[in-house]
Amino acid sequence: MTTTTEAPAAAAAAAGAAPGPSRSWRRLWTGAGAIALALLVWEVAALVIGDSVTLPTVTETARTLAEYLRKPYPEVQGKTLVADALISTGRILAGFLLGTAAGLVLGASMAGVRVIRELADPLIAVMRPLPPIAFIPLLVVWFGIGETSKIALIFFGVLPIVTVATLGALDAVPPDLLNASRSLGASQLHTMLHVRLRAAVPGVITGMRIAMGGAWTAIIAAEMIAATGGVGYLILQAGNYLQTPLIFSGIAEIAVLGFAFDGLLRLLLRLADPTVRR
């Protein structure tokens, strides 16, 4: 028999449990329905306007996307949509991983060492509001239009966001948890690595998700200004020749890639903290 005190506990456990299969499928179908509705509105609006340069239909955009997955654009010295996506993805991964690693180290150092915090905090406060695309001309002067300038751009955009997220997550760890670790004989370094950082993982991953969105914004802008390949370069070239369906194809490709990366980070968040509902 379930006692009176056991019933609320069972209800609380059920409320905090991960969403079941039925809820997951419901969310999936709801999301798919929202996307289908948006595509329907787009199709109707395009048919009403009747000008593919202003707004192509969904079917025309899909046809163009399928065509240029295999066909290069521009035809002379151009690349396919797949090749451009791989170029942009490689730049994103390199800059994001370097920026995330540096942000984790800097954020943890600021949380653990007061002097480092006092030295780095003003610099991070100055860097964080600056849009990364403002550094594009400077980075081109320093590193040219090669891969180094684009990776550096993403690095400088990701670093302050991950640093602030890491510092905030570490500061939010309950002091009782840290005191319990120290009372059991753990050193300050061991407590930071095995207790404080592990407890801060969900907050850090949330910061990484925000940084990933900014990284895509920065790399597309950089590819439009100083690049000979990538999705941003493709969109710019298509715009120069009023190839609106191809512009929308590039935008759709960015949306799919961004959604995939965010999905991977959300999966990582659920693996790190199964109680978090996403």
Side-chain angles (χ1 to χ4, degrees), residues 140-194:
V140 170
V141 171
W142 286 350
F143 304 113
I145 63 171
E147 299 303 306
T148 304
S149 60
K150 298 169 184 61
I151 293 173
L153 177 70
I154 298 172
F155 174 86
F156 287 120
V158 170
L159 173 63
I161 297 175
V162 175
T163 300
V164 171
T166 302
L167 181 60
L170 290 172
D171 286 344
V173 176
D176 292 343
L177 190 62
L178 306 180
N179 294 333
S181 174
R182 296 300 301 273
S183 67
L184 292 174
S187 65
Q188 185 174 354
L189 178 61
H190 187 279
T191 300
M192 170 63 77
L193 295 177
H194 297 280

mmCIF file of all heavy atoms in Angstrom, residues 140-194:
data_model
loop_
_atom_site.group_PDB
_atom_site.id
_atom_site.type_symbol
_atom_site.label_atom_id
_atom_site.label_comp_id
_atom_site.label_asym_id
_atom_site.label_seq_id
_atom_site.Cartn_x
_atom_site.Cartn_y
_atom_site.Cartn_z
ATOM 1 N N VAL A 140 41.677 39.916 -42.091
ATOM 2 C CA VAL A 140 42.136 39.745 -43.471
ATOM 3 C C VAL A 140 43.505 40.388 -43.658
ATOM 4 O O VAL A 140 44.386 39.842 -44.330
ATOM 5 C CB VAL A 140 41.110 40.340 -44.454
ATOM 6 C CG1 VAL A 140 41.677 40.400 -45.870
ATOM 7 C CG2 VAL A 140 39.832 39.523 -44.451
ATOM 8 N N VAL A 141 43.709 41.559 -43.038
ATOM 9 C CA VAL A 141 45.013 42.220 -43.106
ATOM 10 C C VAL A 141 46.078 41.356 -42.432
ATOM 11 O O VAL A 141 47.214 41.218 -42.929
ATOM 12 C CB VAL A 141 44.949 43.613 -42.456
ATOM 13 C CG1 VAL A 141 46.354 44.221 -42.328
ATOM 14 C CG2 VAL A 141 44.061 44.536 -43.265
ATOM 15 N N TRP A 142 45.734 40.763 -41.288
ATOM 16 C CA TRP A 142 46.706 39.977 -40.541
ATOM 17 C C TRP A 142 46.993 38.616 -41.176
ATOM 18 O O TRP A 142 48.140 38.201 -41.267
ATOM 19 C CB TRP A 142 46.202 39.761 -39.118
ATOM 20 C CG TRP A 142 46.289 40.979 -38.248
ATOM 21 C CD1 TRP A 142 46.924 42.156 -38.529
ATOM 22 C CD2 TRP A 142 45.725 41.132 -36.938
ATOM 23 N NE1 TRP A 142 46.781 43.042 -37.491
ATOM 24 C CE2 TRP A 142 46.056 42.448 -36.491
ATOM 25 C CE3 TRP A 142 44.968 40.329 -36.099
ATOM 26 C CZ2 TRP A 142 45.665 42.941 -35.253
ATOM 27 C CZ3 TRP A 142 44.578 40.815 -34.866
ATOM 28 C CH2 TRP A 142 44.921 42.119 -34.441
ATOM 29 N N PHE A 143 45.924 37.910 -41.595
ATOM 30 C CA PHE A 143 46.069 36.513 -42.015
ATOM 31 C C PHE A 143 45.706 36.251 -43.467
ATOM 32 O O PHE A 143 45.811 35.107 -43.926
ATOM 33 C CB PHE A 143 45.189 35.607 -41.130
ATOM 34 C CG PHE A 143 45.480 35.734 -39.659
ATOM 35 C CD1 PHE A 143 44.546 36.280 -38.797
ATOM 36 C CD2 PHE A 143 46.685 35.300 -39.136
ATOM 37 C CE1 PHE A 143 44.798 36.400 -37.436
ATOM 38 C CE2 PHE A 143 46.953 35.406 -37.773
ATOM 39 C CZ PHE A 143 46.016 35.965 -36.924
ATOM 40 N N GLY A 144 45.256 37.285 -44.198
ATOM 41 C CA GLY A 144 44.847 37.073 -45.579
ATOM 42 C C GLY A 144 43.444 36.500 -45.663
ATOM 43 O O GLY A 144 42.706 36.448 -44.673
ATOM 44 N N ILE A 145 43.058 36.035 -46.860
ATOM 45 C CA ILE A 145 41.700 35.515 -47.058
ATOM 46 C C ILE A 145 41.660 33.989 -46.954
ATOM 47 O O ILE A 145 40.673 33.366 -47.347
ATOM 48 C CB ILE A 145 41.123 35.966 -48.410
ATOM 49 C CG1 ILE A 145 41.957 35.399 -49.577
ATOM 50 C CG2 ILE A 145 41.040 37.481 -48.493
ATOM 51 C CD1 ILE A 145 41.328 35.631 -50.929
ATOM 52 N N GLY A 146 42.722 33.398 -46.441
ATOM 53 C CA GLY A 146 42.758 31.944 -46.292
ATOM 54 C C GLY A 146 41.920 31.466 -45.111
ATOM 55 O O GLY A 146 41.113 32.197 -44.537
ATOM 56 N N GLU A 147 42.147 30.223 -44.716
ATOM 57 C CA GLU A 147 41.354 29.608 -43.657
ATOM 58 C C GLU A 147 41.665 30.188 -42.283
ATOM 59 O O GLU A 147 40.793 30.247 -41.414
ATOM 60 C CB GLU A 147 41.603 28.097 -43.642
ATOM 61 C CG GLU A 147 41.220 27.385 -44.924
ATOM 62 C CD GLU A 147 39.755 27.619 -45.264
ATOM 63 O OE1 GLU A 147 38.891 27.354 -44.414
ATOM 64 O OE2 GLU A 147 39.496 28.085 -46.386
ATOM 65 N N THR A 148 42.894 30.651 -42.086
ATOM 66 C CA THR A 148 43.288 31.126 -40.755
ATOM 67 C C THR A 148 42.427 32.287 -40.287
ATOM 68 O O THR A 148 42.001 32.336 -39.127
ATOM 69 C CB THR A 148 44.772 31.550 -40.759
ATOM 70 O OG1 THR A 148 45.567 30.460 -41.207
ATOM 71 C CG2 THR A 148 45.208 31.958 -39.359
ATOM 72 N N SER A 149 42.143 33.237 -41.173
ATOM 73 C CA SER A 149 41.360 34.408 -40.782
ATOM 74 C C SER A 149 39.939 34.019 -40.386
ATOM 75 O O SER A 149 39.370 34.583 -39.436
ATOM 76 C CB SER A 149 41.330 35.434 -41.914
ATOM 77 O OG SER A 149 40.751 34.895 -43.084
ATOM 78 N N LYS A 150 39.356 33.056 -41.059
ATOM 79 C CA LYS A 150 37.976 32.658 -40.763
ATOM 80 C C LYS A 150 37.906 31.842 -39.465
ATOM 81 O O LYS A 150 36.979 32.004 -38.671
ATOM 82 C CB LYS A 150 37.412 31.871 -41.941
ATOM 83 C CG LYS A 150 37.366 32.728 -43.208
ATOM 84 C CD LYS A 150 37.077 31.903 -44.419
ATOM 85 C CE LYS A 150 37.143 32.785 -45.656
ATOM 86 N NZ LYS A 150 38.475 33.412 -45.863
ATOM 87 N N ILE A 151 38.881 30.991 -39.262
ATOM 88 C CA ILE A 151 38.915 30.231 -38.013
ATOM 89 C C ILE A 151 39.155 31.168 -36.830
ATOM 90 O O ILE A 151 38.533 31.027 -35.767
ATOM 91 C CB ILE A 151 40.007 29.141 -38.087
ATOM 92 C CG1 ILE A 151 39.618 28.088 -39.135
ATOM 93 C CG2 ILE A 151 40.200 28.475 -36.730
ATOM 94 C CD1 ILE A 151 40.706 27.063 -39.400
ATOM 95 N N ALA A 152 40.037 32.153 -37.019
ATOM 96 C CA ALA A 152 40.293 33.128 -35.955
ATOM 97 C C ALA A 152 39.040 33.941 -35.652
ATOM 98 O O ALA A 152 38.763 34.264 -34.488
ATOM 99 C CB ALA A 152 41.443 34.050 -36.357
ATOM 100 N N LEU A 153 38.272 34.283 -36.683
ATOM 101 C CA LEU A 153 37.038 35.046 -36.483
ATOM 102 C C LEU A 153 36.053 34.273 -35.605
ATOM 103 O O LEU A 153 35.478 34.826 -34.656
ATOM 104 C CB LEU A 153 36.400 35.351 -37.838
ATOM 105 C CG LEU A 153 35.063 36.085 -37.810
ATOM 106 C CD1 LEU A 153 35.256 37.518 -37.354
ATOM 107 C CD2 LEU A 153 34.391 36.049 -39.174
ATOM 108 N N ILE A 154 35.869 32.999 -35.904
ATOM 109 C CA ILE A 154 34.962 32.172 -35.107
ATOM 110 C C ILE A 154 35.513 31.999 -33.691
ATOM 111 O O ILE A 154 34.767 32.056 -32.704
ATOM 112 C CB ILE A 154 34.756 30.812 -35.787
ATOM 113 C CG1 ILE A 154 34.112 30.999 -37.154
ATOM 114 C CG2 ILE A 154 33.890 29.901 -34.925
ATOM 115 C CD1 ILE A 154 34.053 29.743 -37.981
ATOM 116 N N PHE A 155 36.811 31.817 -33.594
ATOM 117 C CA PHE A 155 37.448 31.651 -32.279
ATOM 118 C C PHE A 155 37.159 32.851 -31.379
ATOM 119 O O PHE A 155 36.739 32.700 -30.225
ATOM 120 C CB PHE A 155 38.953 31.468 -32.472
ATOM 121 C CG PHE A 155 39.739 31.439 -31.191
ATOM 122 C CD1 PHE A 155 39.899 30.257 -30.496
ATOM 123 C CD2 PHE A 155 40.314 32.595 -30.682
ATOM 124 C CE1 PHE A 155 40.617 30.212 -29.307
ATOM 125 C CE2 PHE A 155 41.031 32.561 -29.493
ATOM 126 C CZ PHE A 155 41.182 31.374 -28.815
ATOM 127 N N PHE A 156 37.370 34.051 -31.899
ATOM 128 C CA PHE A 156 37.165 35.253 -31.089
ATOM 129 C C PHE A 156 35.690 35.510 -30.798
ATOM 130 O O PHE A 156 35.359 36.204 -29.835
ATOM 131 C CB PHE A 156 37.779 36.466 -31.786
ATOM 132 C CG PHE A 156 39.277 36.487 -31.739
ATOM 133 C CD1 PHE A 156 40.018 36.483 -32.916
ATOM 134 C CD2 PHE A 156 39.954 36.496 -30.534
ATOM 135 C CE1 PHE A 156 41.408 36.498 -32.881
ATOM 136 C CE2 PHE A 156 41.344 36.507 -30.492
ATOM 137 C CZ PHE A 156 42.072 36.508 -31.668
ATOM 138 N N GLY A 157 34.792 34.948 -31.617
ATOM 139 C CA GLY A 157 33.370 35.072 -31.328
ATOM 140 C C GLY A 157 32.894 34.083 -30.283
ATOM 141 O O GLY A 157 32.029 34.405 -29.448
ATOM 142 N N VAL A 158 33.461 32.883 -30.293
ATOM 143 C CA VAL A 158 33.038 31.821 -29.379
ATOM 144 C C VAL A 158 33.661 31.994 -27.990
ATOM 145 O O VAL A 158 33.010 31.748 -26.965
ATOM 146 C CB VAL A 158 33.403 30.442 -29.968
ATOM 147 C CG1 VAL A 158 33.212 29.328 -28.941
ATOM 148 C CG2 VAL A 158 32.570 30.162 -31.211
ATOM 149 N N LEU A 159 34.907 32.435 -27.946
ATOM 150 C CA LEU A 159 35.661 32.497 -26.690
ATOM 151 C C LEU A 159 34.936 33.247 -25.568
ATOM 152 O O LEU A 159 34.755 32.690 -24.475
ATOM 153 C CB LEU A 159 37.039 33.116 -26.951
ATOM 154 C CG LEU A 159 37.897 33.397 -25.712
ATOM 155 C CD1 LEU A 159 38.239 32.104 -24.978
ATOM 156 C CD2 LEU A 159 39.169 34.139 -26.101
ATOM 157 N N PRO A 160 34.507 34.497 -25.764
ATOM 158 C CA PRO A 160 33.880 35.197 -24.628
ATOM 159 C C PRO A 160 32.565 34.588 -24.182
ATOM 160 O O PRO A 160 32.244 34.589 -22.987
ATOM 161 C CB PRO A 160 33.690 36.629 -25.151
ATOM 162 C CG PRO A 160 33.742 36.519 -26.620
ATOM 163 C CD PRO A 160 34.628 35.370 -26.936
ATOM 164 N N ILE A 161 31.787 34.038 -25.129
ATOM 165 C CA ILE A 161 30.498 33.459 -24.763
ATOM 166 C C ILE A 161 30.694 32.217 -23.900
ATOM 167 O O ILE A 161 30.055 32.052 -22.853
ATOM 168 C CB ILE A 161 29.685 33.116 -26.025
ATOM 169 C CG1 ILE A 161 29.382 34.390 -26.818
ATOM 170 C CG2 ILE A 161 28.384 32.402 -25.657
ATOM 171 C CD1 ILE A 161 28.685 34.141 -28.132
ATOM 172 N N VAL A 162 31.582 31.330 -24.325
ATOM 173 C CA VAL A 162 31.829 30.107 -23.555
ATOM 174 C C VAL A 162 32.492 30.445 -22.226
ATOM 175 O O VAL A 162 32.204 29.811 -21.196
ATOM 176 C CB VAL A 162 32.692 29.125 -24.375
ATOM 177 C CG1 VAL A 162 33.053 27.900 -23.538
ATOM 178 C CG2 VAL A 162 31.955 28.695 -25.631
ATOM 179 N N THR A 163 33.360 31.442 -22.203
ATOM 180 C CA THR A 163 34.003 31.843 -20.953
ATOM 181 C C THR A 163 32.978 32.316 -19.934
ATOM 182 O O THR A 163 32.985 31.896 -18.768
ATOM 183 C CB THR A 163 35.028 32.962 -21.215
ATOM 184 O OG1 THR A 163 36.035 32.496 -22.127
ATOM 185 C CG2 THR A 163 35.693 33.394 -19.910
ATOM 186 N N VAL A 164 32.078 33.199 -20.369
ATOM 187 C CA VAL A 164 31.052 33.717 -19.459
ATOM 188 C C VAL A 164 30.118 32.597 -19.002
ATOM 189 O O VAL A 164 29.747 32.518 -17.826
ATOM 190 C CB VAL A 164 30.263 34.853 -20.136
ATOM 191 C CG1 VAL A 164 29.060 35.260 -19.290
ATOM 192 C CG2 VAL A 164 31.165 36.064 -20.367
ATOM 193 N N ALA A 165 29.737 31.703 -19.938
ATOM 194 C CA ALA A 165 28.851 30.591 -19.579
ATOM 195 C C ALA A 165 29.530 29.661 -18.581
ATOM 196 O O ALA A 165 28.904 29.194 -17.612
ATOM 197 C CB ALA A 165 28.445 29.820 -20.831
ATOM 198 N N THR A 166 30.799 29.370 -18.797
ATOM 199 C CA THR A 166 31.538 28.498 -17.886
ATOM 200 C C THR A 166 31.677 29.127 -16.509
ATOM 201 O O THR A 166 31.447 28.476 -15.475
ATOM 202 C CB THR A 166 32.937 28.194 -18.458
ATOM 203 O OG1 THR A 166 32.800 27.586 -19.745
ATOM 204 C CG2 THR A 166 33.710 27.269 -17.538
ATOM 205 N N LEU A 167 32.039 30.404 -16.483
ATOM 206 C CA LEU A 167 32.197 31.099 -15.200
ATOM 207 C C LEU A 167 30.877 31.163 -14.441
ATOM 208 O O LEU A 167 30.832 30.905 -13.228
ATOM 209 C CB LEU A 167 32.730 32.511 -15.452
ATOM 210 C CG LEU A 167 32.983 33.382 -14.217
ATOM 211 C CD1 LEU A 167 34.001 32.725 -13.298
ATOM 212 C CD2 LEU A 167 33.460 34.763 -14.646
ATOM 213 N N GLY A 168 29.794 31.488 -15.146
ATOM 214 C CA GLY A 168 28.489 31.554 -14.487
ATOM 215 C C GLY A 168 28.037 30.205 -13.967
ATOM 216 O O GLY A 168 27.484 30.106 -12.858
ATOM 217 N N ALA A 169 28.270 29.136 -14.763
ATOM 218 C CA ALA A 169 27.867 27.800 -14.323
ATOM 219 C C ALA A 169 28.682 27.337 -13.122
ATOM 220 O O ALA A 169 28.155 26.707 -12.201
ATOM 221 C CB ALA A 169 28.012 26.815 -15.482
ATOM 222 N N LEU A 170 29.969 27.653 -13.108
ATOM 223 C CA LEU A 170 30.813 27.259 -11.979
ATOM 224 C C LEU A 170 30.442 28.032 -10.719
ATOM 225 O O LEU A 170 30.442 27.481 -9.612
ATOM 226 C CB LEU A 170 32.285 27.487 -12.325
ATOM 227 C CG LEU A 170 32.879 26.540 -13.364
ATOM 228 C CD1 LEU A 170 34.272 26.989 -13.769
ATOM 229 C CD2 LEU A 170 32.927 25.110 -12.826
ATOM 230 N N ASP A 171 30.137 29.308 -10.873
ATOM 231 C CA ASP A 171 29.736 30.100 -9.708
ATOM 232 C C ASP A 171 28.403 29.624 -9.132
ATOM 233 O O ASP A 171 28.126 29.850 -7.944
ATOM 234 C CB ASP A 171 29.626 31.582 -10.093
ATOM 235 C CG ASP A 171 30.987 32.233 -10.275
ATOM 236 O OD1 ASP A 171 31.994 31.641 -9.821
ATOM 237 O OD2 ASP A 171 31.058 33.323 -10.874
ATOM 238 N N ALA A 172 27.565 28.988 -9.972
ATOM 239 C CA ALA A 172 26.249 28.543 -9.514
ATOM 240 C C ALA A 172 26.277 27.195 -8.803
ATOM 241 O O ALA A 172 25.255 26.757 -8.258
ATOM 242 C CB ALA A 172 25.289 28.465 -10.702
ATOM 243 N N VAL A 173 27.432 26.512 -8.799
ATOM 244 C CA VAL A 173 27.529 25.224 -8.098
ATOM 245 C C VAL A 173 27.366 25.470 -6.596
ATOM 246 O O VAL A 173 28.019 26.359 -6.035
ATOM 247 C CB VAL A 173 28.884 24.555 -8.386
ATOM 248 C CG1 VAL A 173 29.023 23.264 -7.577
ATOM 249 C CG2 VAL A 173 29.023 24.258 -9.873
ATOM 250 N N PRO A 174 26.501 24.715 -5.916
ATOM 251 C CA PRO A 174 26.270 24.938 -4.477
ATOM 252 C C PRO A 174 27.554 24.805 -3.663
ATOM 253 O O PRO A 174 28.304 23.831 -3.830
ATOM 254 C CB PRO A 174 25.264 23.837 -4.108
ATOM 255 C CG PRO A 174 24.602 23.474 -5.398
ATOM 256 C CD PRO A 174 25.640 23.654 -6.457
ATOM 257 N N PRO A 175 27.816 25.744 -2.767
ATOM 258 C CA PRO A 175 29.033 25.656 -1.937
ATOM 259 C C PRO A 175 29.076 24.396 -1.080
ATOM 260 O O PRO A 175 30.168 23.878 -0.802
ATOM 261 C CB PRO A 175 28.957 26.915 -1.063
ATOM 262 C CG PRO A 175 28.056 27.854 -1.814
ATOM 263 C CD PRO A 175 27.074 26.986 -2.532
ATOM 264 N N ASP A 176 27.912 23.897 -0.657
ATOM 265 C CA ASP A 176 27.886 22.681 0.174
ATOM 266 C C ASP A 176 28.503 21.501 -0.573
ATOM 267 O O ASP A 176 29.155 20.645 0.027
ATOM 268 C CB ASP A 176 26.452 22.354 0.582
ATOM 269 C CG ASP A 176 25.881 23.375 1.551
ATOM 270 O OD1 ASP A 176 26.679 24.133 2.146
ATOM 271 O OD2 ASP A 176 24.642 23.411 1.714
ATOM 272 N N LEU A 177 28.288 21.457 -1.888
ATOM 273 C CA LEU A 177 28.849 20.374 -2.688
ATOM 274 C C LEU A 177 30.372 20.449 -2.698
ATOM 275 O O LEU A 177 31.059 19.431 -2.588
ATOM 276 C CB LEU A 177 28.299 20.453 -4.113
ATOM 277 C CG LEU A 177 28.576 19.270 -5.045
ATOM 278 C CD1 LEU A 177 27.942 18.003 -4.508
ATOM 279 C CD2 LEU A 177 28.045 19.568 -6.441
ATOM 280 N N LEU A 178 30.890 21.661 -2.817
ATOM 281 C CA LEU A 178 32.342 21.845 -2.817
ATOM 282 C C LEU A 178 32.929 21.554 -1.433
ATOM 283 O O LEU A 178 33.989 20.923 -1.317
ATOM 284 C CB LEU A 178 32.682 23.274 -3.247
ATOM 285 C CG LEU A 178 32.084 23.743 -4.582
ATOM 286 C CD1 LEU A 178 32.494 25.176 -4.878
ATOM 287 C CD2 LEU A 178 32.508 22.821 -5.705
ATOM 288 N N ASN A 179 32.248 22.011 -0.398
ATOM 289 C CA ASN A 179 32.740 21.771 0.966
ATOM 290 C C ASN A 179 32.753 20.281 1.297
ATOM 291 O O ASN A 179 33.658 19.793 1.994
ATOM 292 C CB ASN A 179 31.873 22.524 1.969
ATOM 293 C CG ASN A 179 32.001 24.034 1.828
ATOM 294 O OD1 ASN A 179 33.028 24.534 1.372
ATOM 295 N ND2 ASN A 179 30.968 24.763 2.215
ATOM 296 N N ALA A 180 31.746 19.559 0.800
ATOM 297 C CA ALA A 180 31.717 18.112 1.048
ATOM 298 C C ALA A 180 32.905 17.431 0.389
ATOM 299 O O ALA A 180 33.530 16.527 0.977
ATOM 300 C CB ALA A 180 30.408 17.532 0.515
ATOM 301 N N SER A 181 33.250 17.865 -0.820
ATOM 302 C CA SER A 181 34.396 17.282 -1.508
ATOM 303 C C SER A 181 35.702 17.588 -0.773
ATOM 304 O O SER A 181 36.536 16.691 -0.571
ATOM 305 C CB SER A 181 34.456 17.822 -2.944
ATOM 306 O OG SER A 181 35.624 17.394 -3.603
ATOM 307 N N ARG A 182 35.853 18.840 -0.338
ATOM 308 C CA ARG A 182 37.084 19.218 0.356
ATOM 309 C C ARG A 182 37.198 18.511 1.716
ATOM 310 O O ARG A 182 38.287 18.148 2.142
ATOM 311 C CB ARG A 182 37.138 20.742 0.566
ATOM 312 C CG ARG A 182 37.196 21.546 -0.727
ATOM 313 C CD ARG A 182 38.419 21.203 -1.564
ATOM 314 N NE ARG A 182 39.639 21.450 -0.832
ATOM 315 C CZ ARG A 182 40.268 22.630 -0.788
ATOM 316 N NH1 ARG A 182 39.739 23.659 -1.441
ATOM 317 N NH2 ARG A 182 41.387 22.770 -0.120
ATOM 318 N N SER A 183 36.058 18.311 2.381
ATOM 319 C CA SER A 183 36.089 17.641 3.687
ATOM 320 C C SER A 183 36.460 16.168 3.579
ATOM 321 O O SER A 183 36.932 15.567 4.545
ATOM 322 C CB SER A 183 34.723 17.773 4.369
ATOM 323 O OG SER A 183 33.729 17.049 3.655
ATOM 324 N N LEU A 184 36.279 15.598 2.388
ATOM 325 C CA LEU A 184 36.667 14.203 2.164
ATOM 326 C C LEU A 184 38.117 14.068 1.726
ATOM 327 O O LEU A 184 38.562 12.971 1.388
ATOM 328 C CB LEU A 184 35.743 13.578 1.114
ATOM 329 C CG LEU A 184 34.285 13.389 1.548
ATOM 330 C CD1 LEU A 184 33.430 12.904 0.382
ATOM 331 C CD2 LEU A 184 34.200 12.409 2.713
ATOM 332 N N GLY A 185 38.822 15.181 1.706
ATOM 333 C CA GLY A 185 40.253 15.126 1.414
ATOM 334 C C GLY A 185 40.630 15.511 0.001
ATOM 335 O O GLY A 185 41.822 15.440 -0.356
ATOM 336 N N ALA A 186 39.677 15.937 -0.842
ATOM 337 C CA ALA A 186 39.996 16.299 -2.220
ATOM 338 C C ALA A 186 40.715 17.644 -2.251
ATOM 339 O O ALA A 186 40.396 18.556 -1.484
ATOM 340 C CB ALA A 186 38.723 16.371 -3.058
ATOM 341 N N SER A 187 41.699 17.753 -3.136
ATOM 342 C CA SER A 187 42.408 19.012 -3.294
ATOM 343 C C SER A 187 41.526 20.008 -4.051
ATOM 344 O O SER A 187 40.477 19.659 -4.601
ATOM 345 C CB SER A 187 43.707 18.789 -4.064
ATOM 346 O OG SER A 187 43.432 18.368 -5.395
ATOM 347 N N GLN A 188 41.963 21.261 -4.098
ATOM 348 C CA GLN A 188 41.197 22.283 -4.808
ATOM 349 C C GLN A 188 41.132 21.966 -6.295
ATOM 350 O O GLN A 188 40.091 22.152 -6.935
ATOM 351 C CB GLN A 188 41.834 23.659 -4.584
ATOM 352 C CG GLN A 188 41.031 24.810 -5.199
ATOM 353 C CD GLN A 188 41.603 26.159 -4.831
ATOM 354 O OE1 GLN A 188 42.523 26.256 -4.040
ATOM 355 N NE2 GLN A 188 41.058 27.209 -5.405
ATOM 356 N N LEU A 189 42.242 21.475 -6.879
ATOM 357 C CA LEU A 189 42.258 21.122 -8.300
ATOM 358 C C LEU A 189 41.345 19.933 -8.568
ATOM 359 O O LEU A 189 40.585 19.924 -9.556
ATOM 360 C CB LEU A 189 43.687 20.804 -8.744
ATOM 361 C CG LEU A 189 43.855 20.376 -10.210
ATOM 362 C CD1 LEU A 189 43.388 21.487 -11.153
ATOM 363 C CD2 LEU A 189 45.314 20.008 -10.491
ATOM 364 N N HIS A 190 41.403 18.915 -7.702
ATOM 365 C CA HIS A 190 40.547 17.741 -7.873
ATOM 366 C C HIS A 190 39.083 18.128 -7.752
ATOM 367 O O HIS A 190 38.228 17.637 -8.513
ATOM 368 C CB HIS A 190 40.911 16.686 -6.818
ATOM 369 C CG HIS A 190 40.202 15.377 -7.027
ATOM 370 N ND1 HIS A 190 38.907 15.148 -6.611
ATOM 371 C CD2 HIS A 190 40.616 14.219 -7.630
ATOM 372 C CE1 HIS A 190 38.551 13.932 -6.921
ATOM 373 N NE2 HIS A 190 39.565 13.341 -7.541
ATOM 374 N N THR A 191 38.768 19.000 -6.815
ATOM 375 C CA THR A 191 37.384 19.456 -6.650
ATOM 376 C C THR A 191 36.912 20.215 -7.882
ATOM 377 O O THR A 191 35.769 20.036 -8.336
ATOM 378 C CB THR A 191 37.279 20.363 -5.413
ATOM 379 O OG1 THR A 191 37.689 19.619 -4.254
ATOM 380 C CG2 THR A 191 35.844 20.848 -5.219
ATOM 381 N N MET A 192 37.790 21.039 -8.468
ATOM 382 C CA MET A 192 37.422 21.778 -9.666
ATOM 383 C C MET A 192 37.153 20.834 -10.834
ATOM 384 O O MET A 192 36.147 20.972 -11.550
ATOM 385 C CB MET A 192 38.542 22.759 -10.029
ATOM 386 C CG MET A 192 38.382 23.430 -11.402
ATOM 387 S SD MET A 192 36.904 24.470 -11.518
ATOM 388 C CE MET A 192 37.479 25.901 -10.608
ATOM 389 N N LEU A 193 38.034 19.848 -11.046
ATOM 390 C CA LEU A 193 37.924 18.974 -12.216
ATOM 391 C C LEU A 193 36.809 17.953 -12.084
ATOM 392 O O LEU A 193 36.091 17.682 -13.056
ATOM 393 C CB LEU A 193 39.260 18.251 -12.444
ATOM 394 C CG LEU A 193 40.465 19.131 -12.819
ATOM 395 C CD1 LEU A 193 41.723 18.283 -12.928
ATOM 396 C CD2 LEU A 193 40.201 19.864 -14.126
ATOM 397 N N HIS A 194 36.634 17.367 -10.903
ATOM 398 C CA HIS A 194 35.736 16.233 -10.753
ATOM 399 C C HIS A 194 34.403 16.559 -10.079
ATOM 400 O O HIS A 194 33.490 15.729 -10.118
ATOM 401 C CB HIS A 194 36.439 15.125 -9.953
ATOM 402 C CG HIS A 194 37.645 14.574 -10.645
ATOM 403 N ND1 HIS A 194 37.565 13.644 -11.653
ATOM 404 C CD2 HIS A 194 38.972 14.849 -10.487
ATOM 405 C CE1 HIS A 194 38.789 13.340 -12.086
ATOM 406 N NE2 HIS A 194 39.655 14.060 -11.397
#
